[in-house]
Each structure stands twice: as structure tokens, then as C-alpha cells.
């Protein structure tokens, strides 16, 4: 681009329209010809910045001679024959007699393309530094940090490469928002020149390291070099927090709220996954809103014809990731209306592996004779379908007319149909595959999602509250089966050797799912109208309490769920509940109590409500209940 001192073309000096008058100096044109026709801002350079961005360099010109001659013609016509000027159409008055009609518009683009450019969101300049005043607006968080200080927070190259490889091997398959080959190219470029790396991509790298160190033990041989340079104790939680803080620091230095790209969105989604897996989905609600707005600004919810296939698939995956994370929020806040996301008819990511997605298109592989094979995107596509089902269920539950039995049967059948598709794709003759452990882990994730939907769907129909008349024995059985299924998924991920590399999921999402199942199961077992609780069902509650006792120090999620499960266990251990004096059965009071509790904040729960002589006596004899 030419410098600011580039000499502008000298406009022609207009001749006087009549004798005896002094010639006037023609003013410098305010805009080049393309900008003037397209009504765009011009910086008066040669070529100007607008023409450079749109590829109009060869048309960028400030020649105003033609415009001067046109104005002279109009003045002469007006002075010589006013009637003729009135009779002429306005367009003819603006064109010289020698100019062909086909050349009346000198714009490089058709009129509808020019309006698209005018109404398009202004492009974000990614090359402007955080301290530059050319942005016109800055929004910094904290003091400015030099790139060298940020790079110094990274692990050694060998450890960083190991963490990245572990992420793509065991974490990314369950939340596949990144395109592996694209990240590979970016990582290679980063190693060649770290000083010139993009801050948003550096934030993504920090986020990957933060999440990965939470999924491996401190004694992992891949971290040996890391501990040699650290005199502090081997605390992976603190190390993960450091990397997560560094990721947010990179985003802040890059001013991600006003300047963002796909790497910014990918980094935010990985950070949200960290929060969901270690603390709880409710803590990521505000950050998810920022990610959603950035995705809309980047037009991830719609396909553009002028981008490559890889770019289009990356956008689709980010949008799919946003929908999947919203599913966790819908399970927590079932009265939240997410139908606006469903109304955005965004195409799902292509059912293809990373290696099949090229710049020019997607490779098609021949169909196997044994049936369709799962791809890296099969899980996300299934989860998006469940998100639409979940949104439909939440809309029925929160509506004024509530959920009717016909809708219950329809939605229940829809979930069951999805489960059959998973079985045919991920299981071998109805059993887990010993050759594809990743596929079975994905099947467990989908089943956990489905059984939570079952519980939300059937909960209004298994209650025995008087006057409602909504009890269905089938719904009670469904709640018991789904509650047991969620507890069994938790058991498998904790105990099965083939799922050891996915055991990190029990530190967050899977444990919260198990809590959901335990609460529903306890509610059903306390319904004495159907007989005493089954020994098998009580054993399932006891088993998860025993597992969480060992895991409570692994994550804040496990620490918050453990005391809740112990109280549920103590409630089931009471063989003879005290009689109620207000003519309301214990199971009805318990169902009302759990409906108004915030299970993710156990310290705020009024446990004293259930303290009685029999409960306290039984609890004291069996275990020490925390207060």
C-alpha cells in the first residue's frame, strides 16, 4: 500500500463557463471513483484502503475531468434550453451525449453486490496491536503484557507437544470442535516463530494445556521434564489454573470482545469445557453468552459461498459446540427457552473425518458392506439432534398448559429411536467393542444425555401428589431405569480398564449426571405405596457414595456432589420414617423438597428440614453426616 505522502493525481482545472470570468481552481476530489459510486468511505490514498480490500486497485482513480465536463454540459443545457432540460430524464442529464448507456455506472460491482458490501458488518483488523489507536476503541483487562512474558508461561516444548497429542487422542473426540490438520499447521508455524503468533491462537494452546493436565495423573512420565523446572509440589489443579489464567490473559490482550476470529471462539469453547468438567456448567453461563455472540458476529450460524471448505466446517463445528454446551444449561435451567437457537437453520457439520476435509471439498469414501462406520463428527451430530429434542421438552415443561401424555409418548419414542442408532453404530452385537474403546466412551456420553432427558420428560408423571391425577406407572419405571443407568455409566467410567483414558469425565459432567439419577431414584424408592426399596437399588446408591468418597478431592464438582449423595443415602437408610402430622406423606414432602433445592450449592440447602429422631439416630449409627 502506498504511503501517506503518495502524490495524488492533479485534477484538471475547469474552464470558465462564459467569457470574461476568471478560471476557478477545481477542488481536490474527496473520494476515488469506485468509493464515490459505491458510497463508501475513502482515505484518499492511491490505491485507497477500501479499493485494496475489495480488489479494485486498478480502478482506484481520482480523475475528475469527466465529472467536470458533465457538469459543464448540464449548465449549458440548462442555460440554453430550460424546457429541453425539463423534458430530459434525470439519468440523461448526468451522462454526456457521447457516453453509451451501458457505461452509465462505473462501479466495479453490480448494484446488489454494492449494497451487500455497504450493509455488511465492518471487517475486524487482526493485525492491529492491542495498544494501537487505529482501532478507534479499546477494551483492555488489566495491564499490558509483553508477548515474551506470555510465552514464558508455556510448558517446555516437549511437554507442550505431549499435552496437545493427549488432547487430540482422548479429549477432543468427545467435544470435536477443532479441525486437527488446521491446528497442526498453526502449531508448526508457532514453533518456527513464536514471537509472531496470534494471541487468540496462543490462548487456544493454553486452554488445551489447562484441560489436558486435569485428565492425567501427576506421575505421568510425559510431565517429568515439567516437574524438573518447578520447585513447587506437583499440583495439577494449580497448574491447570495457571494455564487457564494465561489463556484468558491472551484473550484480554487481544481484546477479544471487540476483535475476534475463529481461534478466539475455539479457545472460549475449550475454556467453557474446562469449567463444565471441573466446576459446573452453571459457572460458564456468562462466558457461553459471549461465545454465542462472537459466533454470530463471525457468521458461524450461516454458510458463506466465498470461504473454503475447511473454513466452513470450522464454523459449523464451533456453532455445534455452542449448541451442545447449551444442552448442559438446559438441563440445569429447564425453564430457559433456547428455541431461538433451534430456529437458526444452521447446517450440521459434515459427517466426515478431519483428514477427509480439504480446502476444495470433502472426500467421499466408499460405504462399507457391513454398514456405516462412525466418523469423528458422528457424536456431535447425534448431540445436536438431542439438543433439539431437549429444547422441545423444556418448552413443554415450562409452558402454561404443561406436558400432555400424547406429547410424552411422542418424545419418549423419539429418544428411543436415537438410542437405537447409537447401538447400531458404536456397539458390536449389543455389547461394547474391545477394539474401539473411544466409540464405547462416546456411546456412554450419549446414553447419559438420553437418560437425563428421560428423567426430565417423565418426572411430571411419576409423582403421587394428590389432586394432580398425572401418575403413570410406566413413568415411574422409566425414572427408576434411567436413574440406575446413570449410576451404572458412572461406575463403568470409574472402574472399567478399557475406559481409563476417559476417567477424567467423572470429575465433572458424569458425576453431575449421576447426581441427577440418584435424586430421581431416591424419590421413586421413598414412595412406600409401591413397597419397600429394593436391595439392588439401595446398593447402587451406596456404591456411588463409596466412589465419590474417594473422588471428592479430585475436583470441586465431586466435592459438592458427595455430601448430597450421603444425605440421600441416609434418607434411604431410615427404615421407619416418622409419621406426618399434616396429612402429607413423606414421599410427597421429599419430592417437593428436592424440587426447590439448588443441588450445586449444598451449603445453602436446609438439611435440618429432615432431621428427626429416627433419621438422626440412623445416620449416627451408619455414618457421620456433614453439616
Amino acid at each position: 500500500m502506498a504511503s501517506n505522502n503518495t502524490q495524488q493525481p492533479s485534477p484538471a482545472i475547469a474552464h470558465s463557463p462564459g467569457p470574461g470570468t476568471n478560471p476557478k481552481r477545481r477542488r481536490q476530489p474527496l473520494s476515488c471513483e469506485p468509493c464515490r459510486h459505491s458510497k463508501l468511505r475513502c482515505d484518499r490514498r492511491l490505491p485507497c484502503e477500501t479499493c485494496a480490500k475489495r480488489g479494485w486497485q486498478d480502478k482506484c482513480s481520482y480523475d475528475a475531468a469527466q465529472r467536470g465536463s458533465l457538469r459543464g454540459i448540464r449548465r449549458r443545457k440548462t442555460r440554453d434550453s430550460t424546457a429541453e432540460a425539463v423534458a430530459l430524464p434525470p439519468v440523461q442529464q448526468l451522462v454526456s451525449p457521447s457516453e453509451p448507456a451501458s457505461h452509465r455506472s462505473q462501479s466495479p460491482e453490480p448494484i446488489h453486490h454494492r449494497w451487500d458490501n455497504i450493509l455488511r458488518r465492518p471487517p475486524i483488523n487482526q493485525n492491529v496491536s492491542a495498544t494501537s489507536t487505529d482501532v478507534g476503541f479499546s477494551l483492555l483487562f488489566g495491564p499490558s503484557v509483553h508477548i515474551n512474558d506470555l510465552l514464558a508461561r508455556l510448558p517446555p516444548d516437549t511437554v507442550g507437544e505431549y499435552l496437545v497429542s493427549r488432547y487430540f487422542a482422548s479429549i477432543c473426540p468427545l467435544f470435536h470442535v477443532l479441525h486437527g490438520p488446521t491446528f497442526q499447521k498453526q502449531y508448526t508455524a508457532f514453533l518456527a516463530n513464536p514471537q509472531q503468533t496470534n494471541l487468540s491462537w496462543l490462548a487456544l494452546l493454553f486452554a488445551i494445556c489447562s484441560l489436558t493436565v486435569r485428565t492425567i495423573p501427576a506421575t505421568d512420565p510425559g510431565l517429568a521434564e515439567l516437574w524438573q523446572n518447578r520447585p513447587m509440589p506437583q499440583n495439577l489443579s494449580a497448574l491447570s489454573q495457571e494455564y487457564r489464567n494465561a489463556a484468558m490473559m491472551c484473550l484480554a490482550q487481544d481484546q477479544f470482545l471487540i476483535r475476534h476470529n475463529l481461534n478466539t471462539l475455539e479457545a472460549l469453547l475449550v475454556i467453557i469445557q474446562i469449567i463444565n468438567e471441573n466446576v459446573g456448567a452453571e459457572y460458564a453461563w456468562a462466558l457461553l453468552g459471549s461465545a454465542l455472540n462472537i459466533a454470530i458476529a463471525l457468521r458461524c450460524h450461516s454458510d458463506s459461498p466465498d470461504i473454503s471448505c475447511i473454513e466452513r466446517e470450522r464454523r459449523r463445528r464451533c456453532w455445534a459446540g455452542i449448541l451442545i454446551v447449551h444442552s448442559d444449561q438446559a438441563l440445569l435451567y429447564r425453564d430457559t427457552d433456547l428455541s431461538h437457537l433451534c430456529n437458526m437453520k444452521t447446517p450440521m457439520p459434515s459427517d466426515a473425518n478431519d483428514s477427509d476435509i480439504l480446502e476444495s471439498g470433502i472426500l467421499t469414501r466408499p460405504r462399507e458392506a457391513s454398514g456405516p462406520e462412525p466418523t469423528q463428527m458422528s457424536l456431535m451430530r447425534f448431540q445436536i439432534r438431542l439438543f433439539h429434542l431437549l429444547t422441545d421438552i423444556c418448552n413443554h415443561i415450562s409452558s402454561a398448559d404443561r406436558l400432555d401424555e400424547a406429547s410424552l409418548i411422542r418424545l419418549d419414542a423419539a429418544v428411543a429411536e436415537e438410542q437405537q442408532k447409537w447401538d447400531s453404530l458404536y456397539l458390536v452385537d449389543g455389547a461394547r467393542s474391545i477394539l474401539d474403546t473411544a466409540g464405547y466412551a462416546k456411546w456412554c456420553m450419549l446414553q447419559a444425555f438420553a437418560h437425563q432427558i428421560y428423567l426430565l420428560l417423565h418426572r411430571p408423571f411419576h409423582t403421587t401428589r394428590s389432586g394432580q391425577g398425572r401418575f403413570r406407572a410406566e413413568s415411574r419405571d422409566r425414572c427408576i431405569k434411567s436413574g440406575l443407568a446413570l449410576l451404572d455409566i458412572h461406575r463403568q467410567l470409574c472402574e472399567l480398564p478399557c475406559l481409563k483414558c476417559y476417567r477424567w469425565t467423572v470429575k465433572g459432567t458424569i458425576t453431575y449426571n449421576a447426581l441427577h439419577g440418584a435424586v430421581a431414584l431416591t424419590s421413586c424408592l421413598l414412595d412406600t405405596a409401591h413397597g419397600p426399596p429394593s436391595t439392588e437399588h439401595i446398593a447402587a446408591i451406596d456404591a456411588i457414595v463409596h466412589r465419590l468418597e474417594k473422588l471428592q478431592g479430585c475436583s470441586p464438582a465431586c466435592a459438592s456432589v458427595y455430601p448430597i449423595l450421603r444425605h440421600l443415602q441416609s434418607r434411604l437408610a431410615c427404615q421407619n420414617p416418622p409419621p406426618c402430622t399434616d396429612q402429607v406423606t413423606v414421599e410427597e414432602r421429599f419430592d417437593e423438597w428436592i424440587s426447590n433445592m439448588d443441588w450445586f450449592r449444598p451449603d445453602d440447602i436446609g438439611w435440618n428440614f429432615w432431621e428427626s429422631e429416627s433419621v438422626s439416630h440412623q445416620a449416627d449409627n451408619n455414618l457421620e453426616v456433614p453439616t
Side-chain angles (χ1 to χ4, degrees), residues 90 110 157 184 205 232 237 262 289 298 309 315 589 623:
D157 290 343
Q184 173 75 51
L205 180 60
M232 64 176 60
S237 299
L262 278 180
L298 296 176
C309 180
R315 293 186 181 185
R589 296 172 60 202
L623 62 148

Side-chain angles (χ1 to χ4, degrees), residues 385-386 389-390 393 408-422 446-447 449-455 457-458 478 482:
R385 294 170 64 90
L386 287 179
L389 280 174
L390 177 61
I393 293 172
L408 169 69
I409 297 175
R410 174 181 61 84
L411 294 171
D412 184 278
V415 178
E417 182 180 356
E418 293 295 320
Q419 287 181 302
Q420 293 178 359
K421 297 177 182 179
W422 313 334
L446 290 170
Q447 290 293 339
F449 198 163
H451 287 295
Q452 289 187 93
I453 293 180
Y454 277 133
L455 293 179
L457 184 60
H458 287 272
R478 177 74 266 177
S482 293

Side-chain angles (χ1 to χ4, degrees), residues 78-129:
T78 304
R79 185 171 55 251
D80 296 341
S81 178
T82 304
E84 181 182 358
V86 173
L88 285 175
V91 175
Q92 296 181 7
Q93 299 180 34
L94 297 176
V95 184
S96 63
S98 60
E99 183 181 10
S102 60
H103 295 284
R104 291 171 184 170
S105 176
Q106 301 296 324
S107 175
E109 295 180 299
I111 185 63
H112 63 277
H113 287 168
R114 289 183 300 175
W115 275 111
D116 289 343
N117 291 329
I118 294 173
L119 300 176
R120 183 177 299 170
R121 182 184 296 274
I124 302 297
N125 187 3
Q126 298 292 337
N127 298 321
V128 180
S129 63

Side-chain angles (χ1 to χ4, degrees), residues 136-213:
F137 176 74
S138 62
L139 194 61
L140 292 176
F141 299 93
S144 177
V145 181
H146 195 271
I147 183 65
N148 291 336
D149 296 332
L150 295 173
L151 295 174
R153 298 171 182 264
L154 284 170
D157 290 343
T158 55
V159 178
E161 183 175 340
Y162 174 72
L163 294 177
V164 170
S165 62
R166 283 293 300 259
Y167 173 82
F168 281 94
S170 60
I171 303 176
C172 187
L174 301 184
F175 191 62
H176 206 101
V177 295
L178 301 182
H179 181 247
T182 298
F183 186 89
Q184 173 75 51
K185 294 179 182 179
Q186 295 171 333
Y187 187 75
T188 303
F190 164 74
L191 294 179
N193 192 356
Q195 304 289 337
Q196 298 299 322
T197 187
N198 187 281
L199 286 176
S200 59
W201 184 88
L202 187 60
L204 175 60
L205 180 60
F206 272 117
I208 289 175
C209 293
S210 175
L211 181 56
T212 307
V213 296

